[in-house]
Amino acid sequence: MEQKEKLLTIGQFAAMHGINKKTLMWYDEIGLFAPAAINPENGYRCYDYHQSPVLETILLLRELDVSIREIKYFMKNRSAGSLKCLLEDKITDLDLQIAHLQAVRTTLCTHLQNMDTLLTMDLSEISIIEKEERCLVTVDITPETTFEQEVELITAETEKYRLGRLHEASYGSMIKVADLQNGNFDHYSKLFIEIPFLPYQTGLHIMPKGKYIRAFHKGDWSGIPTRYREIFDYAKKHSLTPHGFSYEMGINENVIDRIEDYIVQIEIPV
C-alpha cells in the first residue's frame, strides 16, 4: 500500500497507461486532467496512482471518439448515472459501426466469390445450387421505365435504408418466369437491392430457400433470350419446374470496360 501512495513522474504515469507524456501535458493544459502535484523544485508534474481509473476512463472515451468538450462536461458532472448514459450512447454508436463493418465484409466476400467464379467457371455450364432464404428490397418497374427513372428509384431506396455507399449492397433485376416462358424477355418487373444483415420487415421480397438453376450469360442483352431458352431446355430435360422470378445480377462490372465482356448471373428457383 505504501508504494501506491507515492507520486509518479509524468513519464512513469504515461508509460503505465501506454500513452505519450505529451498527452498528459496537453490534458493538463486544457483543464481536462491535472496532475496530483507539481514538484516545487523543478516544476515537473507528478501523478498519484489512484488517478489511474480516472485517466483510463478518459482514454476509453477518447477511443470511442467522444469529443474533448463532452469529456470535460462529464468530468465536471461525474456520476454513475452520467457515465451510464454516455456509455449507452457510445454502445449504440459502436453497434452501428459494427453492423456497417459486417455489411462491408459481406460485400467484400461477395466480390471475392464473384472473382473466384470468374476465374474458374465454365460460362456454358448450367447447374443446380442450394440457396438460403434472403430478404430483398425491391422497386417496381415496367418496360417503359427509363434508365434515369431506375436510378432515381434505386437512389430513393438506398437513402431510405441509410446506405452510405452503393458498394454496401448488391443490385440486380427480376423478371417473372411466366413472362420468360411466354417469350417476353424484356418484361422486367422489379429491381432488387440485397442489403447485408437487413432484418425482415413488412414489404420486403423474400427470395425463397431451396434449389435454383444457375447459369451465366456473357455479352449484351440481345443474347439473353437464347440463354433463357437453353435454361428452360435444361429444366425440362431434368424434370425441373422453374417458378417465381428469375434473378439477374452482374458479377464483373468492376473489372471490365466493354459491354461485350459483361457477365450476368441468372438464378431461378425450381
Side-chain angles (χ1 to χ4, degrees):
M1 179 63 73
E2 290 182 3
Q3 180 65 25
K4 294 183 179 180
E5 298 300 330
K6 293 181 179 179
L7 294 179
L8 302 170
T9 67
I10 188 170
Q12 291 172 325
F13 197 65
M16 188 168 70
H17 293 278
I19 60 175
N20 192 298
K21 63 182 182 180
K22 289 184 177 179
T23 300
L24 288 173
M25 294 170 66
W26 181 55
Y27 284 172
D28 183 22
E29 290 169 2
I30 63 175
L32 178 60
F33 183 75
I38 301 293
N39 190 315
E41 297 179 2
N42 52 29
Y44 289 170
R45 296 172 174 85
C46 298
Y47 294 83
D48 191 306
Y49 174 86
H50 298 290
Q51 289 181 281
S52 288
V54 177
L55 178 59
E56 282 299 323
T57 300
I58 292 173
L59 296 177
L60 171 63
L61 296 177
R62 289 296 290 151
E63 192 171 340
L64 295 174
D65 290 329
V66 180
S67 69
I68 291 295
R69 181 183 60 80
E70 289 178 285
I71 297 175
K72 288 177 75 172
Y73 178 83
F74 164 72
M75 295 301 292
K76 291 178 180 178
N77 302 274
R78 194 154 40 115
S79 69
S82 61
L83 181 58
K84 177 179 181 291
C85 291
L86 187 57
L87 292 179
E88 285 176 341
D89 289 343
K90 293 309 167 183
I91 287 172
T92 299
D93 291 343
L94 272 179
D95 287 341
L96 292 173
Q97 292 176 37
I98 290 170
H100 168 73
L101 290 173
Q102 288 176 326
V104 171
R105 187 184 189 283
T106 298
T107 302
L108 291 177
C109 288
T110 299
H111 286 318
L112 179 61
Q113 183 179 25
N114 288 343
M115 294 308 102
D116 185 57
T117 300
L118 287 172
L119 294 171
T120 59
M121 71 181 177
D122 177 358
L123 283 176
S124 65
E125 181 183 11
I126 299 176
S127 60
I128 301 296
I129 62 167
E130 288 278 350
K131 292 182 71 72
E132 294 298 319
E133 180 181 284
R134 299 187 182 185
C135 295
L136 305 178
V137 177
T138 61
V139 294
D140 295 329
I141 59 172
T142 69
E144 289 72 40
T145 305
T146 66
F147 176 73
E148 289 76 14
Q149 290 172 328
E150 290 181 358
V151 170
E152 290 177 1
L153 290 169
I154 289 293
T155 301
E157 288 302 306
T158 55
E159 290 178 353
K160 177 180 176 181
Y161 289 92
R162 298 181 180 180
L163 281 179
R165 310 283 298 201
L166 290 178
H167 68 244
E168 293 176 9
S170 299
Y171 301 82
S173 55
M174 298 163 55
I175 184 169
K176 292 179 180 178
V177 168
D179 282 330
L180 293 170
Q181 291 172 328
N182 290 327
N184 299 317
F185 298 104
D186 60 348
H187 281 204
Y188 290 90
S189 56
K190 296 179 185 292
L191 301 176
F192 72 79
I193 310 169
E194 184 176 359
I195 304 173
F197 304 106
L198 179 67
Y200 175 76
Q201 301 174 34
T202 302
L204 294 180
H205 173 84
I206 301 300
M207 189 175 183
K209 175 182 179 179
K211 288 183 169 57
Y212 284 71
I213 290 179
R214 173 182 282 176
F216 301 92
H217 168 70
K218 183 177 181 180
D220 62 36
W221 273 259
S222 62
I224 283 279
T226 299
R227 192 53 170 157
Y228 271 117
R229 293 188 185 98
E230 293 171 350
I231 292 171
F232 289 125
D233 287 344
Y234 175 92
K236 183 177 181 180
K237 180 180 178 180
H238 292 83
S239 301
L240 300 170
T241 304
H243 60 86
F245 289 89
S246 172
Y247 301 85
E248 298 180 7
M249 184 171 65
I251 65 170
N252 67 337
E253 296 163 309
N254 49 358
V255 294
I256 62 168
D257 296 316
R258 305 184 312 152
I259 190 62
E260 292 83 359
D261 298 321
Y262 187 77
I263 297 175
V264 176
Q265 174 183 277
I266 300 169
E267 294 180 339
I268 307 175
V270 292

